[in-house]
Amino acid sequence: MRNIKTQFNNKNSMEKSRKFYSPVCLWLSLIFACCYVLYSKPCQALTAGKIEVSGLYSIKEKEFLEIFGVAENSEIDRETVRKGIKRVFLTGLFEDISVEVSEGEKTAVQINVREKDMINKIYINGNYGLSEKDIRKFFRFKEEQIMRYDLMQTAVNELAESLLLYGFPDSKIDIKIEKTDKPYKANIYLNVNTGVPLIIKNIKISNSDKDVLNEMKLSNGGIYNQYVLKDD
């Protein structure tokens, strides 16, 4: 068995009960540094025979092989594999790829892939003083996007900042991620407690601008929402 083996591994293993995740380097910055080919000496091109792809879920095998650039009876060598892996990683869907090629008149090609996790559902629980729609709007991640474990803490901080501007300075946010029974799918659980809102006690306007008060959306006794204030 001759191995044309090229791998990239950007594992972000997470414990299900963990609330926050430490940042890691972006895979795009490592793709060329971490892809390597195990060869002791240059090799001549082989003719691909049967091609098998394992671990594929998000796209069909035919589409994957078109991107990879190899087909039955086509030539395959180290450069073919290197360029193929580069194209596949640029789709942004994959976390790990290895390729094994056996010697013979018709070379068997085995491609093993591991895809990145995708966000299946985002669940929002807790006691919050704004609509769930607004919380989803402020949260960086959406359903069916690639799960970026390295940006979860950033997403939580951004959401807290948005809630502060909305008028909730004491918001508490917990996040949990759980894998589903579907391959490469995970759910995000947000527990949001906005706490006591910042209330407008009194709006003072000069006598010459009193008509403005009637047109403003903010009012005495209402939440100090800086998004609304910008509109006013």
Side-chain angles (χ1 to χ4, degrees), residues 8-203:
F8 175 85
N9 197 332
N10 185 26
K11 294 182 180 178
N12 294 296
S13 58
M14 313 298 298
E15 293 180 6
K16 293 182 179 180
S17 61
R18 197 171 176 183
K19 291 181 178 180
F20 297 106
Y21 303 88
S22 301
V24 296
C25 295
L26 296 177
W27 67 268
L28 280 174
S29 66
L30 297 176
I31 182 169
F32 297 111
C34 295
C35 288
Y36 62 91
V37 181
L38 299 181
Y39 264 101
S40 59
K41 59 182 180 179
C43 65
Q44 62 184 14
L46 304 173
T47 301
K50 184 179 181 182
I51 303 173
E52 293 185 354
V53 183
S54 64
L56 204 58
Y57 183 77
S58 296
I59 62 176
K60 295 186 180 299
E61 183 174 308
K62 180 180 178 181
E63 182 181 355
F64 176 88
L65 292 176
E66 287 176 352
I67 297 171
F68 196 91
V70 66
E72 191 170 345
N73 296 320
S74 67
E75 288 189 347
I76 184 170
D77 57 14
R78 178 172 57 183
E79 190 65 9
T80 303
V81 172
R82 187 188 69 81
K83 290 182 177 180
I85 286 192
K86 176 183 175 182
R87 286 192 297 269
V88 168
F89 272 127
L90 287 175
T91 65
L93 296 175
F94 297 93
E95 189 167 295
D96 184 86
I97 304 173
S98 66
V99 181
E100 296 182 1
V101 177
S102 65
E103 292 183 343
E105 184 178 347
K106 284 283 186 149
T107 302
V109 181
Q110 177 66 47
I111 304 175
N112 305 302
V113 304
R114 184 159 64 85
E115 298 182 9
K116 293 183 176 182
D117 288 340
M118 302 290 289
I119 299 172
N120 183 52
K121 294 289 184 182
I122 299 176
Y123 296 96
I124 299 175
N125 301 304
N127 184 16
Y128 40 88
L130 69 167
S131 69
E132 181 178 315
K133 180 180 178 181
D134 281 334
I135 294 176
R136 291 182 181 275
K137 179 179 69 175
F138 295 142
F139 189 55
R140 170 190 288 240
F141 294 107
K142 312 301 178 190
E143 294 174 357
E144 299 305 319
Q145 288 183 345
I146 290 173
M147 183 76 76
R148 290 293 303 274
Y149 294 104
D150 57 316
L151 293 177
M152 284 298 157
Q153 181 65 65
T154 300
V156 169
N157 293 342
E158 290 173 347
L159 178 56
E161 180 65 22
S162 295
L163 294 178
L164 170 63
L165 294 175
Y166 204 95
F168 296 95
D170 300 318
S171 297
K172 304 296 182 184
I173 305 167
D174 292 326
I175 187 169
K176 183 172 67 173
I177 298 175
E178 290 185 355
K179 295 288 186 69
T180 70
D181 294 334
K182 301 176 182 178
Y184 311 118
K185 293 283 189 176
N187 294 327
I188 295 177
Y189 295 86
L190 284 174
N191 191 61
V192 180
N193 291 286
T194 51
V196 179
L198 192 61
I199 300 299
I200 299 172
K201 185 176 181 180
N202 189 27
I203 300 176

